[in-house]
């Protein structure tokens, strides 16, 4: 895995001067409020989400052959290639900011692969841009596809199946400051060779979840399966040396290998600024 620590520090120096806290929220260095109407009319300070297509999930069925096929393919990928956190680390995945959510009921984390963000595939079960990990049992419980090609957002991501008004295309994007900043940060540090704009994007690329454990809200639901539906004990083997015990200790930055943490843990002040 390439060492991007110097790049990360450079971004932290840049952002420390580019963003500040104002009474109405976070602002650009120019003074523009990034969580209010203006350049980004959909933007919100708090987490926000919109659908990428008119059909979104209305025409999706968990028992449709194509849904079963993609869920089975994702399950095989997780079982064969990414059965635990250690394999994610070995294959270049990096935790998103939500690894800091350990201790919350139902906590889970997104692990992002910069190489998969930068390739030409979209909706490929063998190359998921993100793997979703339960923080209690330390096990992958699904994936999140991110509609990018060569690191750039795809405006019209493909449907899982169907066409037109009957398409199953449950893609969503985020408009809130936390999601927009997290996307900008990871692209700036890991995904775009430093070409990402200083300004936050108005929205993230389109994203689509596929859960491999039973979810009462559906295979493509935005929220995760209830913790009781995530397989339970025994917890997964971590796949690396750690002081922590999966199932007893929540997965968090302090449980990961020291060398990995020193290279990839986001700066504390920026994380606290936007994510509390």
């Amino acid at each position: 895995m390439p060492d991007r620590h110097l790049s990360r520090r450079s971004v932290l120096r840049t952002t420390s001067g580019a963003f500040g806290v104002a009474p109405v929220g976070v602002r650009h260095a120019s003074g523009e409020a990034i969580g209010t109407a203006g350049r980004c009319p959909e933007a919100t300070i708090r987490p926000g989400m919109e659908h990428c297509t008119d059909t979104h999930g209305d025409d999706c069925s968990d028992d449709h052959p194509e849904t079963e096929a993609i869920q089975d393919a994702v399950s095989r990928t997780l079982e064969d290639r990414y059965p635990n956190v250690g394999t994610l680390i070995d294959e270049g995945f990096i935790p998103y900011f939500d690894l800091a959510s350990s201790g919350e009921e139902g906590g889970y984390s997104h692990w992002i692969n910069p190489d998969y963000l930068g390739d030409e595939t979209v909706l490929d079960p063998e190359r998921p841009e993100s793997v979703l990990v339960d923080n209690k049992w330390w096990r992958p419980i699904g994936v999140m596809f991110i509609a990018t090609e060569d690191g750039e957002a795809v405006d019209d991501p493909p449907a899982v199946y169907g066409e037109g008004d009957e398409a199953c295309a449950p893609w969503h994007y985020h408009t809130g400051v936390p999601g927009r900043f997290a996307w900008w940060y990871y692209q700036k540090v890991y995904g775009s060779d430093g070409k990402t704009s200083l300004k936050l994007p108005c929205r993230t690329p389109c994203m689509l979840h596929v859960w491999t454990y039973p979810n009462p809200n559906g295979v493509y639901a935005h929220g995760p399966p209830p913790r009781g539906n995530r397989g339970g004990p025994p917890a997964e083997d971590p796949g690396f040396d750690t002081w922590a015990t999966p199932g007893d200790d929540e997965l968090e930055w302090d449980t990961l290998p020291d060398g990995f943490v020193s290279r990839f843990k986001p700066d504390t002040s920026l994380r606290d600024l936007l994510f509390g």
Side-chain angles (χ1 to χ4, degrees):
M1 183 185 301
D3 187 347
R4 307 174 192 260
H5 186 53
L6 291 177
S7 176
R8 181 174 69 90
R9 290 192 307 187
S10 176
V11 170
L12 296 178
R13 285 196 298 269
T14 301
T15 54
S16 65
F19 301 102
V21 178
V24 295
V26 184
R27 293 180 176 271
H28 289 300
S30 64
E32 176 191 4
I34 61 179
T36 59
R39 182 176 67 91
C40 302
E42 290 184 300
T44 59
I45 290 292
R46 297 185 181 276
M49 182 192 78
E50 298 290 343
H51 297 292
C52 294
T53 65
D54 291 337
T55 57
H56 46 89
D58 290 347
D59 290 290
C60 296
S61 172
D62 283 1
D63 58 6
H64 190 281
E66 292 299 329
T67 295
E68 294 177 345
I70 195 170
Q71 187 182 43
D72 288 345
V74 167
S75 295
R76 288 194 301 271
T77 294
L78 297 183
E79 291 170 4
D80 296 343
R81 298 185 60 188
Y82 311 121
N84 55 39
V85 174
T87 55
L88 294 178
I89 292 174
D90 291 342
E91 294 299 321
F93 284 83
I94 302 167
Y96 227 40
F97 287 90
D98 54 4
L99 190 64
S101 67
S102 297
E104 295 182 2
E105 181 64 28
Y108 72 105
S109 49
H110 296 67
W111 289 64
I112 312 292
N113 190 310
D115 289 337
Y116 295 170
L117 286 173
D119 66 18
E120 297 180 353
T121 66
V122 179
L123 207 60
D124 183 349
E126 295 188 357
R127 298 176 67 84
E129 289 79 12
S130 175
V131 171
L132 310 171
V133 178
D134 178 72
N135 289 345
K136 179 176 178 63
W137 302 117
W138 296 38
R139 78 168 47 102
I141 56 176
V143 303
M144 183 176 75
F145 296 107
I146 303 175
T148 59
E149 289 182 351
D150 299 323
E152 298 295 327
V154 174
D155 292 332
D156 188 20
V160 179
Y161 62 86
E163 297 179 356
D165 293 339
E166 297 181 354
C168 170
W171 296 90
H172 68 275
Y173 61 87
H174 292 271
T175 58
V177 168
R180 293 162 57 209
F181 176 81
W183 170 250
W184 176 91
Y185 178 96
Y186 271 72
Q187 280 292 88
K188 189 70 177 177
V189 177
Y190 307 114
S192 299
D193 298 324
K195 297 178 182 178
T196 301
S197 169
L198 177 62
K199 287 188 175 183
L200 290 188
C202 291
R203 46 173 277 191
T204 68
C206 295
M207 304 174 179
L208 185 156
H209 293 145
V210 173
W211 302 102
T212 56
Y213 285 79
N215 192 323
N217 294 316
V219 171
Y220 307 111
H222 181 258
R227 176 154 279 175
N229 287 13
R230 302 182 198 173
E236 302 304 317
D237 183 278
F240 57 90
D241 291 333
T242 178
W243 60 265
T245 302
D248 293 334
D249 300 299
E250 293 274 323
L251 179 66
E252 56 186 13
W253 281 103
D254 290 345
T255 66
L256 300 178
D258 291 342
F260 181 84
V261 172
S262 67
R263 285 190 291 170
F264 298 114
K265 184 178 181 180
D267 179 79
T268 301
S269 61
L270 285 174
R271 191 174 68 247
D272 290 347
L273 171 63
L274 289 169
F275 298 88

